[in-house]
Structure formats: structure tokens, C-alpha cells
Amino acid sequence: MTATATDPLATVRQAIEHCHAQGWTDGLPVVPATEADVAEFLATVDRDPDEVIGTQAHLDRRVTVAQAAVNAVMAGCLPEYFPLVLAAWAAVTGEPAAQGGAWQSTSGPSPMLVVNGPIRQRLGVNYAGGVFGPGFRANATVPRALGLLVRNGFGIRPQQLEQATQGVPGRWQLCIGENEELSPWEPFSVGGGVPAGTDAVSAMLIRDCEYVDNRHTEDPEALLRDLADTLARTGAYLGMKHSTGGLVLGPEHAQQLAAAGFGRADVQQWLFDAAVRTQADLRAVGKESHDAEPGPDPMPMMPSPAEIPIIVAGAANAAISMVFRPFGWSTWSGRSVPVPPTAQEASA
């Protein structure tokens, strides 16, 4: 179609280019937000548009519900996603790792959102095949809305206030559903204090993801040893205290472990005991302990069994799992945030 002066598509393209020129985008085109669009999003929640939902005191900046709605529109969300956007924002900003200057860290950490409950089906949140990949609108746009809010509300942008050395691939793109249907254990959000069957979102800041492909053994301890070896990688250790790690287990691995009698807590304890490195290992890579009193030898790489978050997601078509690295020395607060129904659903 050839654009003309009266062609509405030409106007839309001009609006998109205007957003790029103002620096309001993350590099991809955004949806221009009209007043009517923003009002439609705000109508899905019973919140004051001027309510402050986030601050960066050291930058003297704050963000509101209305600003979140603007950026959710720009991110490509549907109006019915907005309660999840606000709950995800509350989950992320409530994490200890997200306090202070985390968004400006040299690591460039990414929030990883985990969605539980029937909302996964209602909004089309992917929890099966390709769960970390593209192709699902809710998975892509909900975290993007948070990233745009940090960019446009707090003014934190790469090579400006953001100081990431290299950053994390997929930053502001990591939102997965838990595959409750194929998980042998209770939903992840139950550990975060939200009853099973309730819509909820959990969040962690992470530094990277590493896959563990083990389709070669039926021995559950061999599988656990493989997972522990990845968790204990010296490259993730900062040279003090401990490292961090969590798992997104593929359903086949989770079911294999459960069939052998392992509950989630049993897996956490086994991995904590096995994910260790000797002081000689650490000295060899220049990361010997700097504490006044050296730690045990071998030294646990994980802070505690409970601080190894374990989520079940993905398809049961190959025995592949993922290790992720929570940012700093924090893993997960153990707090999930309920997602309220839209105002329209609540009044129905």
C-alpha cells in the first residue's frame, strides 16, 4: 500500500518514528499510546492513576499507575494484561535484589517473571514448548512493559544511567508460565505464600541462563550430579560469600526425580550438598576467599538449600533443563504476588 498524506497507516508510522526520536523505545517499534488507549487499560484495575508504584530516590524519580499503563500500551500489551503488569512490577520491585541501584548495575540483570494459576490459559502465557523463546504475546509484552517503565519513568537507559558491561541477552523479555499440568510438585507460587489455583506472579533478577541437556541416564543421582556441576561453575562465583543458582526443570527431569522419591526440598538439599568447589579450585581461577577466616573446604557454592529456586516449565519432548543465576547474593524473597481479576471480571 502506498502511503499518502491522508493514509492512517502513514500517520501511525510517523508516530512510531516520533517515539524512536524521543528515545522512548527499547530499539523495537512501540505502539503509540492515545488517551483512549490508556483509559481502557486503567479501567481494568481499581487503582488511582496517580498512585506511586516505584521510586529511585538517588535519581529523584518516581513512577505511577498511569505511567505503567502508558508503557504497557507502548509495549504491545492487551488491556486485560494490565493487572498482571502491575502485579509483576510489584513482584520485581519487592525483591531485595531490585532495591537501590540494581537497574544500573554493571551486570545488567534481567527480571525473570514466573506466572502460576488459571491466568496462564486466560492470557495465553506460554508454559510449554519454547517457554523462553518468542511467539507468545503475553510472555513478550508483559516484561517489555516493565522495561519501558524503567526506561521512560526512571530514565535508566543503556550507556547513560545504565552501566551494564555487556548485559543479559533477553533483558526485559523473560516471562514464563510454570507447567503445573506436568509438574509433579505443588506450584512454585505456593512456596511464595499464594494458594494453589490462584493467579500469581513471582520475580527474580537474574544474570544469565545455562542449559543442561541430559537425556542419557535414568539414574536420578546422575542427573542431579550433572545439574550440580553446572551450579558449581567457578565463572559464576564472585570471589566472596557464595554463588547463586536456580533451576527451570524440564517436565521430564522433574518427573524422573519425583518418580525416584525426590520432593522439591529433597532436590534442593541434594544440590546444595553436591554443588561445592575446593579452595584449590577457587585459587586456580584467582577467586580464593577474601574473608578473614577461610570457609570450609570444599565450600558450598549455593547459599542454602532453600535458596535454590526450582520451577518446572517447558515441553516434555526432550530431557533438557535450565540453570539460571540470580543477581548478586540474593536468590528469591520467597514472596509471590497475587494477580487480581480485571475490574470487569470482578464485577461480573
Side-chain angles (χ1 to χ4, degrees), residues 16 63 79 95 103 146 157 176 184-185 212 223 274 320 343:
I16 291 172
V63 293
E95 288 298 299
W103 305 132
L146 307 190
R157 302 172 180 180
I176 66 174
W185 304 311
V212 178
L223 168 60
I320 297 174

Side-chain angles (χ1 to χ4, degrees), residues 62-132:
R62 62 183 190 173
V63 293
T64 66
V65 170
Q67 287 174 301
V70 171
N71 285 280
V73 174
M74 293 172 68
C77 291
L78 293 174
E80 54 265 36
Y81 297 178
F82 194 49
L84 176 57
V85 169
L86 290 182
W89 177 261
V92 170
T93 56
E95 288 298 299
Q99 307 300 316
W103 305 132
Q104 298 172 260
S105 167
T106 54
S107 298
S110 171
M112 183 174 77
L113 308 177
V114 183
V115 181
N116 283 101
I119 195 172
R120 295 168 303 136
Q121 283 83 12
R122 290 202 313 276
L123 300 188
V125 176
N126 183 27
Y127 54 84
V131 70
F132 278 103

Side-chain angles (χ1 to χ4, degrees), residues 273 276-283 289 293-301:
D273 293 337
V276 298
R277 298 303 291 252
T278 67
Q279 295 293 343
D281 290 336
L282 299 177
R283 283 195 297 272
S289 174
E293 296 182 7
D297 195 6
M299 187 174 83
M301 291 288 98

